[in-house]
Amino acid sequence: MSNRVYFFDTTLRDGEQTPGVNLNQEEKVEIALRLEQLGIDVIEAGFAAASPGDAAAVRAVAQAVTKPLVVSLARANKADIDAVIEALSGIKNVGIHVFIATSPIHREKKLFMSKEEVIAKAVDCVSYAAQHFQHVEFSCEDATRTELEFLCEIAEEVIEAGATVLNFPDTVGYATPEEYADLFQYILKHTKGVEKVRLSCHCHDDLGLAASNSIAAIKAGALQVEGCVNGIGERAGNVALEEVAALLETRKDYYQKETGIVLKEVAKTSKLISRLTGISVPPNKAVIGKNAFAHSSGIHQDGVIKDKTTYEILKPESVGFMETKLVLGKLSGRNALNKRYEELGYTISPEQLKEVFSKYKELADRKKEIFDEDIIALLETNSSVNNQTYTFKDLSLQVLANKDYRAFVHIVKEDGTIIEGIGEGNGPVDAIYKGIDQGLHIQAELIDYKIKSISKGKDSIGEVFVKIKHGDSLYQGRAIHVDIIFASASAYIEAINRFVSLHPDYVVAEMK
Ligand code: KIV
Ligand code: ZN
């Protein structure tokens, strides 16, 4: 049995199914490039048939990365497969991921199909897909609630039809590690032709067993693990790939597996995904949480001071956490800034350096001490919304007699028009958001508002993340600034820009 485990990242597909997460094309490409640095073998870039935007993003990702193989999901029907063929046409190192549900529950209650019909459909679609792609992954959705004999039966047929990877998802997070391992052992033992394909595991975390189940599958012979960095995804999420990677590395003595994962890229990847999806990493999350390497009890601290290995099985720096340094001062020059970025693992172009250096100077005027987190945040201040229809300009606030606030907000439209909005609310942010709504004639519901400081100190940069609802859809916005009121207004306007970029016919009547 080979000892190489392939990592398949589905952040851009299953991860994007996380409620409220919607990534635009630029963001998907940015994540894919980061996943490439992390050493991911296969990137599932989306679901091409879902919308023209999804198809375009799948294509853009496939064009942007060089090393990882890029696939798109397709249901077992010709139209979905055609959407993938079109999205990936002419691009090298691409493949397709076709799935159909196999469990009795899904067959009887969702598909209304017999076992024979499910097999016929799967074979039909896999052979059609195999005429266009060398890499054809086939998934038995809800595999862990499917009869084992039926899994072998369908597996044999799709191998014959040209599948190259067979995936057995624990779609609803129902399996236990022992059962999941048994499933793989059973398939390996009873499926004709199984030696020709790679077996893959795909676990959801509904009962908190995604990592245990994935590792049990790998031990039993799965050669590919599917999941998302930070464990995002449908419902309780997918397995957190960084946990599986750190486990295989830390316990190489036991599992004896090789991977292509560059562990020290984990922290950067996790931060990017958290920032772009707006989903914070819980402080106690394994491997990537803020507290994952913090020792607070006296006994532990004493041990760690004497020898780190007493309580540390994984070094924070091995997954890319660097000791935060107080960086440059107000008088530091461009070269010093560039050098620190290099030390932190960021390569930036001369144009980027020029832009970020002027922001750095502005920040240094307002903030006494500047930390690594601050300069990283400066690199990331550019909005990833394509259509920057509106930009926040400035505002003034009045405190009213009843302690309510009145905000006068100025917004610049891309053609230079200044729009003013006036709003009253029971706090400054409430008043500002009402002012923006009034100025832009928009009725958006604020679903989520989060604020956190990027680094240390009372004068730290604040990061604001908002989620708004317009109609049935959610739009997110994020902004950073030393002035949290400024950041709050900008984040809200970024969310509105996201809505506007998807609804270009939305017309705002400007106030003269
Ligand atoms: O969880 C699942 O079953 C899936 C399939 C579409 C592969 O995500
Ligand atoms: Zn899934």
Side-chain angles (χ1 to χ4, degrees):
M1 193 197 295
S2 159
N3 68 348
R4 170 70 154 85
V5 177
Y6 291 84
F7 275 64
F8 173 118
D9 183 281
T10 181
T11 302
L12 303 179
R13 199 277 298 169
D14 224 333
E16 220 211 1
Q17 289 173 220
T18 309
V21 170
N22 50 27
L23 299 162
N24 64 32
Q25 187 170 308
E26 280 67 34
E27 290 166 334
K28 287 184 180 177
V29 168
E30 196 177 348
I31 291 176
L33 290 169
R34 184 102 285 298
L35 294 172
E36 180 166 27
Q37 298 298 313
L38 179 65
I40 291 293
D41 300 289
V42 185
I43 295 177
E44 185 159 57
F47 183 9
S51 71
D54 277 53
V58 166
R59 185 167 183 82
V61 165
Q63 284 170 328
V65 300
T66 39
K67 265 173 88 187
L69 181 105
V70 173
V71 300
S72 163
L73 186 69
R75 284 165 298 192
N77 65 60
K78 193 166 174 290
D80 274 25
I81 299 171
D82 283 340
V84 180
I85 296 169
E86 196 185 326
L88 295 175
S89 69
I91 308 177
K92 290 207 183 85
N93 209 20
V94 292
I96 188 164
H97 177 191
V98 181
F99 78 99
I100 191 164
T102 51
S103 67
I105 300 179
H106 281 238
R107 290 191 316 255
E108 286 154 27
K109 307 215 161 120
K110 183 180 90 173
L111 299 175
F112 309 109
M113 284 167 84
S114 66
K115 284 181 178 171
E116 293 69 29
E117 284 168 327
V118 169
I119 292 187
K121 189 123 198 132
V123 167
D124 225 33
C125 289
V126 167
S127 40
Y128 180 56
Q131 289 165 24
H132 298 269
F133 296 99
Q134 281 179 358
H135 181 103
V136 179
E137 171 163 335
F138 175 76
S139 283
C140 303
E141 191 192 11
D142 205 17
T144 51
R145 293 192 295 170
T146 303
E147 308 88 333
L148 289 174
E149 307 74 37
F150 182 53
L151 284 182
C152 291
E153 207 181 321
I154 194 164
E156 278 180 15
E157 298 275 0
V158 293
I159 293 171
E160 184 90 336
T164 54
V165 178
L166 291 190
N167 182 34
F168 298 96
D170 185 23
T171 305
V172 290
Y174 177 77
T176 67
E178 296 76 14
E179 284 169 339
Y180 204 44
D182 288 349
L183 182 153
F184 281 87
Q185 274 160 1
Y186 192 93
I187 301 281
L188 279 166
K189 198 162 163 203
H190 296 98
T191 311
K192 209 164 82 210
V194 73
E195 67 290 344
K196 290 191 256 176
V197 297
R198 185 193 295 168
L199 298 191
S200 179
C201 57
H202 176 119
C203 297
H204 284 266
D205 206 28
D206 299 66
L207 296 175
L209 288 174
S212 308
N213 285 343
S214 302
I215 203 74
I218 290 169
K219 185 98 176 74
L223 292 179
Q224 176 171 287
V225 56
E226 304 190 2
C228 303
V229 172
N230 292 357
I232 62 170
E234 192 78 62
R235 305 182 313 277
N238 288 67
V239 71
L241 285 183
E242 68 281 4
E243 290 179 12
V244 183
L247 174 55
L248 290 177
E249 178 59 31
T250 311
R251 296 306 313 274
K252 212 174 197 158
D253 59 319
Y254 182 69
Y255 290 103
Q256 313 224 328
K257 298 287 180 195
E258 298 297 331
T259 77
I261 295 296
V262 184
L263 266 189
K264 69 172 176 31
E265 296 293 327
V266 160
K268 258 197 255 169
T269 314
S270 159
K271 281 182 191 158
L272 177 76
I273 290 172
S274 168
R275 176 170 70 78
L276 294 183
T277 58
I279 301 177
S280 326
V281 173
N284 61 332
K285 181 113 177 97
V287 185
I288 48 166
K290 200 163 120 256
N291 297 345
F293 301 99
H295 304 278
S296 65
S297 91
I299 298 172
H300 287 209
Q301 284 174 349
D302 177 55
V304 170
I305 289 164
K306 288 176 177 144
D307 188 321
K308 283 199 173 158
T309 57
T310 50
Y311 290 99
E312 240 174 51
I313 54 163
L314 186 66
K315 292 194 191 94
E317 55 276 20
S318 65
V319 286
F321 286 106
M322 312 262 284
E323 209 183 302
T324 293
K325 280 198 192 148
L326 179 65
V327 277
L328 330 148
K330 196 171 167 175
L331 300 175
S332 304
R334 198 181 293 209
N335 287 344
L337 183 65
N338 195 22
K339 186 158 174 286
R340 188 62 196 143
Y341 277 130
E342 274 171 18
E343 283 164 5
L344 290 168
Y346 292 90
T347 316
I348 56 174
S349 66
E351 298 78 55
Q352 261 181 312
L353 180 63
K354 193 168 159 213
E355 199 183 315
V356 89
F357 185 66
S358 80
K359 286 184 195 159
Y360 171 78
K361 282 288 182 194
E362 250 174 65
L363 182 65
D365 277 340
R366 303 186 66 147
K367 193 171 184 298
K368 237 174 44 218
E369 296 176 321
I370 299 184
F371 298 90
D372 288 337
E373 289 92 337
D374 294 314
I375 64 165
I376 292 170
L378 287 183
L379 260 190
E380 298 173 342
T381 43
N382 285 342
S383 165
S384 30
V385 184
N386 279 334
N387 180 354
Q388 282 288 352
T389 309
Y390 304 110
T391 318
F392 171 64
K393 183 170 185 281
D394 55 30
L395 62 85
S396 56
L397 278 171
Q398 277 177 352
V399 185
L400 306 177
N402 58 358
K403 299 210 177 89
D404 275 358
Y405 283 75
R406 179 177 296 140
F408 300 87
V409 189
H410 292 119
I411 300 158
V412 191
K413 202 174 165 191
E414 59 193 336
D415 62 6
T417 324
I418 305 283
I419 302 171
E420 186 182 64
I422 304 172
E424 283 180 18
N426 58 14
V429 174
D430 188 27
I432 292 165
Y433 286 4
K434 285 184 176 140
I436 295 171
D437 288 351
Q438 196 245 19
L440 299 182
H441 296 248
I442 200 159
Q443 289 292 322
E445 192 187 339
L446 183 66
I447 298 294
D448 198 7
Y449 172 93
K450 283 193 218 106
I451 182 160
K452 70 171 196 197
S453 69
I454 297 265
S455 63
K456 297 180 223 164
K458 289 191 185 124
D459 59 354
S460 166
I461 297 182
E463 177 179 50
V464 174
F465 183 86
V466 300
K467 207 172 276 174
I468 61 169
K469 189 168 180 198
H470 194 284
D472 286 336
S473 305
L474 296 173
Y475 305 90
Q476 68 209 33
R478 171 198 166 268
I480 62 163
H481 203 272
V482 267
D483 180 340
I484 55 168
I485 293 292
F486 194 106
S488 299
S490 301
Y492 191 71
I493 289 177
E494 175 168 309
I496 292 177
N497 279 332
R498 244 172 235 265
F499 160 74
V500 174
S501 71
L502 293 172
H503 301 86
D505 46 349
Y506 178 81
V507 182
V508 176
E510 291 124 31
M511 294 184 50
K512 299 284 169 210

